[in-house]
Amino acid sequence: MFGSNELKQTRFYQDVFAEGRQEGRQEGKQEGKQEGKLEAIPQLLGLGLSIEQIAQALGLDEQVVRQAAQPKS
């Protein structure tokens, strides 16, 4: 039976750990991109773009754009 330290030294553990770290980075990047798009919506509305135009330009669903355009209370 492996102990915790012995398990961490195995190639399998190290590969799985590295893969998990990489997936976490990718998810973080995606969340960051989504957040950036949502933050840009009020500015784009201020420039006179429509909800439909913003959704198309940012690759978002129109409902998501409408929700982000709602004033925060």
Side-chain angles (χ1 to χ4, degrees):
M1 189 74 124
F2 281 114
S4 178
N5 287 336
E6 290 89 6
L7 178 62
K8 289 179 181 179
Q9 298 301 316
T10 65
R11 179 72 179 169
F12 176 76
Y13 177 88
Q14 293 173 1
D15 287 348
V16 170
F17 186 78
E19 185 177 319
R21 182 180 294 164
Q22 181 64 27
E23 287 177 12
R25 286 185 184 134
Q26 290 294 356
E27 288 176 17
K29 285 181 183 179
Q30 292 299 337
E31 289 174 11
K33 287 180 183 180
Q34 180 78 2
E35 190 173 310
K37 289 178 181 182
L38 295 176
E39 289 176 359
I41 291 171
Q43 295 170 338
L44 295 171
L45 286 168
L47 292 173
L49 276 77
S50 70
I51 297 287
E52 295 79 15
Q53 289 171 322
I54 295 170
Q56 184 179 12
L58 297 178
L60 297 172
D61 186 78
E62 287 182 25
Q63 186 61 31
V64 172
V65 175
R66 282 190 186 88
Q67 288 176 344
Q70 297 296 320
K72 307 289 185 224
S73 50

